[in-house]
């Protein structure tokens, strides 16, 4: 089982590659991590036809009730707009080395190890479509809950991330489970793995967390988590069907560091669209503790 070149040159965010999405969007990740002007320019050219300002009026006016065919192009435009803004920023801020290491650990080394494991039996290619975006979304959620990830032990962060993954997998299996995520998801995302069946997953998550913590110590929490969230959004095969990526990766970027990276009017427009297309539901009342 090997990664296919067509994954890295895909022209959409739908990927059937055995890498489980870990290298999907390779052109965009390469643009973030490269000192090569040619590579950076290639990534910016790749984003140009997909940028937010090129989305159709119908896509920009889509809501949670609209078809994925209308929401998906606009969400792709949001993601590529964020990438385009960061490609030059990462170099200007002198963060290329830290981002390169972070991307390599998450998108290359860990993907290689995962493929070795799957060669001995594992999820089908269909279930592998969402993998590291699931993990990164959980890491981002754990980080948001902990607050100061750099001060926590890797073991504590790994345990919390694994717990969140188990909860998400368990919730997805329950037909009557109430959806309280960022929008009313009518069709469940194909789960990346049966988490309890693979004890080695914790080892790979620990490796990813070590890279995240190292990046935090190198360039600071805000900068490091900006790239972690963006990598999570880039490698997700279909963010429109993956509300955790919208909630824990894309929304915090638009609501935080990208207020300065983008023009105020553009960032405001995209935030308004996200709120409209992926409605944040109120917490479910606790019937046991009124």
């Amino acid at each position: 089982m090997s990664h296919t070149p067509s994954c890295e040159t895909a022209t959409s965010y739908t990927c059937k590659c055995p890498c489980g999405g870990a290298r999907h969007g390779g052109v965009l990740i390469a643009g973030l991590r490269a000192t090569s002007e040619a590579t950076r320019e290639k990534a910016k050219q790749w984003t140009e036809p997909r940028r937010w300002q090129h989305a159709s009026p119908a896509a920009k006016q889509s809501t949670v009730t609209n078809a994925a065919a209308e929401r998906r192009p606009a969400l792709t435009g949001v993601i590529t707009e964020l990438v385009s803004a960061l490609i030059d920023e990462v170099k200007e801020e002198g963060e290329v080395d830290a981002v390169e290491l972070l991307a390599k650990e998450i998108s290359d080394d860990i993907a290689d190890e995962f493929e070795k494991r799957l060669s001995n039996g594992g999820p089908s290619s269909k279930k592998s479509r969402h993998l590291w975006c699931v993990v990164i979304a959980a890491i981002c959620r754990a980080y948001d809950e902990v607050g100061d990830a750099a001060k926590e032990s890797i073991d504590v962060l790994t345990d919390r991330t694994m717990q969140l993954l188990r909860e998400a997998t368990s919730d997805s299996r329950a037909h009557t489970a109430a959806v309280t995520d960022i929008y009313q998801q009518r069709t469940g995302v194909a789960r990346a793995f049966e988490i309890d069946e693979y004890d080695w997953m914790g080892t790979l998550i620990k490796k990813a967390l070590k890279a995240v913590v190292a990046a935090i110590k190198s360039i600071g929490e805000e900068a490091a988590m900006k790239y972690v969230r963006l990598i999570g959004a880039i490698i997700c095969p279909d963010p429109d069907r993956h509300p955790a990526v919208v909630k824990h990766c894309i929304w915090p970027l638009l609501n935080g560091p990208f207020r300065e990276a983008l023009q105020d009017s553009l960032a405001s427009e995209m935030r308004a669209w996200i709120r409209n297309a992926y409605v944040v539901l109120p917490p479910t009342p606790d019937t046991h503790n009124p």
Side-chain angles (χ1 to χ4, degrees):
M1 182 176 292
S2 61
H3 171 63
T4 55
S6 61
C7 177
E8 291 193 355
T9 57
T11 57
S12 73
Y13 283 99
T14 301
C15 175
K16 299 181 181 180
C17 178
C19 76
R23 294 194 183 102
H24 187 62
V27 171
L28 303 185
I29 293 177
L32 290 175
R33 64 192 282 189
T35 55
S36 165
E37 290 298 334
T39 302
R40 303 174 80 83
E41 187 60 31
K42 179 181 178 182
K44 285 189 284 189
Q45 290 175 357
W46 197 97
T47 68
E48 191 60 31
R50 303 164 180 81
R51 294 180 70 171
W52 168 260
Q53 58 261 43
H54 297 157
S56 68
K60 288 187 178 183
Q61 294 169 10
S62 60
T63 70
V64 69
T65 60
N66 289 116
E70 294 175 335
R71 292 191 310 266
R72 199 169 286 157
L75 186 58
T76 298
V78 170
I79 294 171
T80 53
E81 198 73 47
L82 301 183
V83 172
S84 183
L86 261 190
I87 285 176
D88 290 324
E89 185 177 292
V90 61
K91 184 178 179 181
E92 291 172 2
E93 299 294 331
E95 297 168 349
V96 173
D97 291 343
V99 174
E100 181 176 8
L101 180 60
L102 181 65
K104 178 178 175 58
E105 290 293 327
I106 292 175
S107 186
D108 289 346
D109 289 356
I110 293 176
D112 287 339
E113 184 64 23
F114 177 69
E115 288 173 26
K116 291 177 186 176
R117 301 284 185 168
L118 289 191
S119 67
N120 296 321
S124 67
S125 59
K126 181 177 181 180
K127 285 188 177 181
S128 296
R129 291 180 187 174
H130 289 263
L131 174 66
W132 288 110
C133 54
V134 177
V135 173
I136 292 178
I139 288 175
C140 291
R141 180 179 170 187
Y143 165 80
D144 291 338
E145 292 179 355
V146 169
D148 191 348
K151 292 184 178 179
E152 290 289 346
S153 72
I154 296 295
D155 288 336
V156 168
L157 293 172
T158 301
D159 290 345
R160 180 54 183 153
T161 302
M162 289 286 285
Q163 179 185 350
L164 291 172
L165 291 174
R166 290 190 181 97
E167 289 174 357
T169 306
S170 177
D171 289 345
S172 73
R173 296 191 190 120
H175 297 297
T176 59
V179 178
T180 58
D181 220 314
I182 200 165
Y183 75 106
Q184 294 175 330
Q185 185 185 19
R186 293 185 294 274
T187 305
V189 172
R191 290 296 161 183
F193 44 78
E194 299 293 333
I195 188 70
D196 293 317
E197 296 180 14
Y198 301 102
D199 293 336
W200 48 265
M201 188 62 68
T203 302
L204 300 190
I205 291 172
K206 182 178 290 188
K207 187 175 184 180
L209 281 165
K210 286 181 179 178
V212 172
V213 171
I216 288 174
K217 292 180 178 178
S218 173
I219 59 178
E221 287 191 1
E222 182 174 327
M225 291 309 299
K226 177 169 59 178
Y227 298 116
V228 173
R229 295 186 205 275
L230 190 55
I231 290 171
I234 291 171
I235 67 178
C236 182
D238 190 356
D240 180 62
R241 297 276 300 281
H242 194 168
V245 166
V246 176
K247 184 174 184 178
H248 300 295
C249 296
I250 299 171
W251 176 249
L253 291 175
L254 282 175
N255 210 34
F258 280 93
R259 284 179 178 270
E260 296 181 1
L262 299 173
Q263 294 179 359
D264 289 344
S265 58
L266 184 63
S268 177
E269 184 181 27
M270 290 192 292
R271 285 197 301 273
W273 179 81
I274 289 275
R275 287 194 297 266
N276 187 44
Y278 305 94
V279 179
V280 179
L281 301 178
T284 302
D286 189 340
T287 55
H288 299 289
N289 296 291

